[in-house]
Amino acid sequence: MTQDSPNDLTPQQVWELIDQRISSIAHAPAENHQGLKERLPLLQALDRVLAQDVTSPLDVPPHHNSAMDGYAFMGSALGQTSSEEVQLQVVGTALAGKSWNGAVSAGQCVRVTTGAVMPAGFDTVVPQEMVQHVQHSTPPNAIRFKTAHLKAGDNRRLRGEDVAQGSVALHQGQRLNPAALGLMASLGLDQAVVYRRLKVAYFSTGDELLTQGELPREGALYDSNRYSVLGLLSRLGCEVLDLGVVRDDPVQLKAAFEQGSAQTDAIITSGGVSVGEADFTKSLMKELGDVAFWRIAMKPGRPMAMGRMGQAVWFGLPGNPVAVMVTFLALVRPALLKLMGLRSQDIGGPPMLKASSAETLSKKPGRTEYLRVCVTRHPDGHLQAATTGLQGSGMLSSMVQANGLMVLPHHQGNVAIGDEVYVMMFEGVM
Ligand code: AMP
Ligand code: MG
């Protein structure tokens, strides 16, 4: 294990270097626009990134309508009475999808259900639970209600109050989540123009790695990184190219890099970037493209490399199984989100929660540490984060039990029980 060095970069500094080196699919030069965007049926566009603004062809809702089951009337009636109650004559009924088109006047009301078009001239709805039916009124069929808790315009939805015709309902670079699909559907649209999926190749490197199906042999272990990284990439909606396990052999590595870079936007590899192995990869990579090797003041996940080979960006991650996942979540995932065309305000790490530490933790200032934790709700209501077991950078069991990573920042020292900490949550990410 190498010592932390003051020359190591912080994860934030590394992110800035990555950010400078990549540009979004949205900024691709015009000659590469062929095949960049596609028009998909709405349901197939789930989780894809919008490639153009969506301008609304209509008002949503399309007409003023009632927000409650009740009685629509002229709100001015509320101010005209000196008594605490108003009495109105019921002259008709409007249902959702079946409007009432008769003439109306002050002193009258129309029974309405939620979503019913407001009869012209009426602007206010009294909910049905606030009214009493007047017995033996002349003319018959009248209601009365107290005016105290009601004002003109209440319980009415205005035409276009959600989305106005001609306004931008959704922006280029937004990811189409279920709510966005619903909003597009409410505009009467059944297709979306989105960026094509990002194509990402992955391979694991190491002479010691076994592919599943191979018999165990002395000194060898099964490749796990390929499964966790391919899983993370699938969750992000990438199209993945699985290039398997590649030996620490310059010829085979070169062939894998060439195959990956010819077909994809990005190549991710694990292993071969630690101090002991970096020289070997470095010389090979220098032949193939422009590369940078970084030592990051983070635990786990100290070494990482990045480069460019033709059209493809290369992310060389450490070999240890948890270090791979942590560097992916902290640094590669935001880079892929940027490449995919996501707008800048949505690019970043997974969502963070504030919790209190359930235990004392020793932490050295001068590096960022990512601890596998489970966040639970304490009986008093606050969120508490407890580590899930041994934190070795190769131990996946504690990663499996965790629902997030506690992120202890660069300058942070030891943590006491009850101290406030931030946790990067896995939900929706892995
Ligand atoms: P390296 O970065 O190549 O020096 O690898 C660091 C550690 O991670 C070594 O113990 C490797 O055996 C282990 N390792 C590397 N790649 C993988 C992999 N794909 N799956 C599981 N363990 C790995
Ligand atoms: Mg290796």
Side-chain angles (χ1 to χ4, degrees), residues 202 204-206 208-209 221-226 270-274 277 303 317-321:
Y202 173 84
S204 297
T205 73
E208 76 282 27
L209 299 181
L221 51 95
Y222 285 105
D223 169 23
S224 61
N225 292 345
R226 197 151 49 92
S270 77
V273 293
S274 55
E277 296 185 301
L317 304 185
N320 276 307

Side-chain angles (χ1 to χ4, degrees), residues 225-343:
N225 292 345
R226 197 151 49 92
Y227 290 83
S228 39
V229 175
L230 291 176
L232 285 163
L233 288 170
S234 299
R235 279 275 195 271
L236 264 186
C238 299
E239 195 180 298
V240 297
L241 175 63
D242 178 2
L243 296 177
V245 171
V246 178
R247 304 271 155 250
D248 291 321
D249 163 59
V251 177
Q252 288 185 41
L253 283 169
K254 192 168 175 215
F257 275 122
E258 284 172 351
Q259 188 187 348
S261 63
Q263 297 177 46
T264 63
D265 303 293
I267 305 172
I268 299 174
T269 62
S270 77
V273 293
S274 55
V275 175
E277 296 185 301
D279 288 345
F280 169 68
T281 326
K282 249 182 208 164
S283 55
L284 171 75
M285 293 302 305
K286 291 239 162 84
E287 254 181 68
L288 296 171
D290 166 34
V291 286
F293 283 74
W294 297 309
R295 294 200 322 179
I296 314 173
M298 68 188 279
K299 187 187 169 196
R302 194 148 177 273
M304 182 179 161
M306 183 184 174
R308 177 168 286 281
M309 273 158 262
Q311 289 297 311
V313 190
W314 168 55
F315 298 98
L317 304 185
N320 276 307
V322 178
V324 167
M325 300 189 77
V326 172
T327 45
F328 183 97
L329 291 173
L331 297 164
V332 178
R333 187 175 177 277
L336 296 176
L337 293 175
K338 181 175 178 186
L339 288 173
M340 275 176 200
L342 217 68
R343 55 188 185 163

Side-chain angles (χ1 to χ4, degrees), residues 107-415:
Q108 295 183 329
C109 66
V110 167
R111 191 172 79 85
V112 290
T113 57
T114 305
V117 175
M118 290 292 282
F122 284 172
D123 59 5
T124 307
V125 173
V126 56
Q128 67 184 15
E129 54 274 22
M130 281 176 67
V131 311
Q132 281 183 325
H133 291 271
V134 181
Q135 304 297 321
H136 315 298
S137 64
T138 12
N141 201 8
I143 55 158
R144 58 168 53 242
F145 55 90
K146 291 197 162 53
T147 59
H149 302 296
L150 212 58
K151 54 185 192 317
D154 275 0
N155 306 312
R156 168 202 47 173
R157 304 164 176 154
L158 291 173
R159 171 181 180 143
E161 71 176 10
D162 185 5
V163 185
Q165 183 177 6
S167 67
V168 175
L170 290 156
H171 290 87
Q172 176 184 357
Q174 262 183 282
R175 205 198 259 269
L176 293 176
N177 63 17
L181 292 190
L183 184 62
M184 288 191 73
S186 78
L187 307 180
L189 303 174
D190 63 354
Q191 295 182 330
V193 177
V194 296
Y195 292 116
R196 65 163 172 74
R197 279 181 202 279
L198 207 65
K199 294 179 198 146
V200 185
Y202 173 84
F203 59 91
S204 297
T205 73
D207 287 338
E208 76 282 27
L209 299 181
L210 293 167
T211 298
Q212 291 62 32
E214 282 189 275
L215 289 177
R217 62 171 188 268
E218 169 95 31
L221 51 95
Y222 285 105
D223 169 23
S224 61
N225 292 345
R226 197 151 49 92
Y227 290 83
S228 39
V229 175
L230 291 176
L232 285 163
L233 288 170
S234 299
R235 279 275 195 271
L236 264 186
C238 299
E239 195 180 298
V240 297
L241 175 63
D242 178 2
L243 296 177
V245 171
V246 178
R247 304 271 155 250
D248 291 321
D249 163 59
V251 177
Q252 288 185 41
L253 283 169
K254 192 168 175 215
F257 275 122
E258 284 172 351
Q259 188 187 348
S261 63
Q263 297 177 46
T264 63
D265 303 293
I267 305 172
I268 299 174
T269 62
S270 77
V273 293
S274 55
V275 175
E277 296 185 301
D279 288 345
F280 169 68
T281 326
K282 249 182 208 164
S283 55
L284 171 75
M285 293 302 305
K286 291 239 162 84
E287 254 181 68
L288 296 171
D290 166 34
V291 286
F293 283 74
W294 297 309
R295 294 200 322 179
I296 314 173
M298 68 188 279
K299 187 187 169 196
R302 194 148 177 273
M304 182 179 161
M306 183 184 174
R308 177 168 286 281
M309 273 158 262
Q311 289 297 311
V313 190
W314 168 55
F315 298 98
L317 304 185
N320 276 307
V322 178
V324 167
M325 300 189 77
V326 172
T327 45
F328 183 97
L329 291 173
L331 297 164
V332 178
R333 187 175 177 277
L336 296 176
L337 293 175
K338 181 175 178 186
L339 288 173
M340 275 176 200
L342 217 68
R343 55 188 185 163
S344 52
Q345 65 260 47
D346 296 333
I347 296 169
M352 302 278 260
L353 276 186
K354 206 192 276 182
S356 73
S357 178
E359 61 213 278
T360 58
L361 299 165
S362 65
K363 158 74 172 63
K364 268 205 295 186
R367 69 183 181 201
T368 305
E369 292 191 14
Y370 300 81
L371 299 176
R372 284 144 261 176
V373 296
C374 192
V375 175
T376 52
R377 193 172 289 280
H378 190 268
D380 76 8
H382 82 276
L383 298 175
Q384 205 172 38
T387 54
T388 53
L390 294 174
Q391 300 281 319
S393 63
M395 296 176 168
L396 281 175
S397 306
S398 49
M399 193 69 171
V400 169
Q401 283 159 37
N403 60 8
L405 290 170
M406 184 191 291
V407 183
L408 299 177
H410 194 77
H411 297 295
Q412 163 98 49
N414 294 338
V415 175

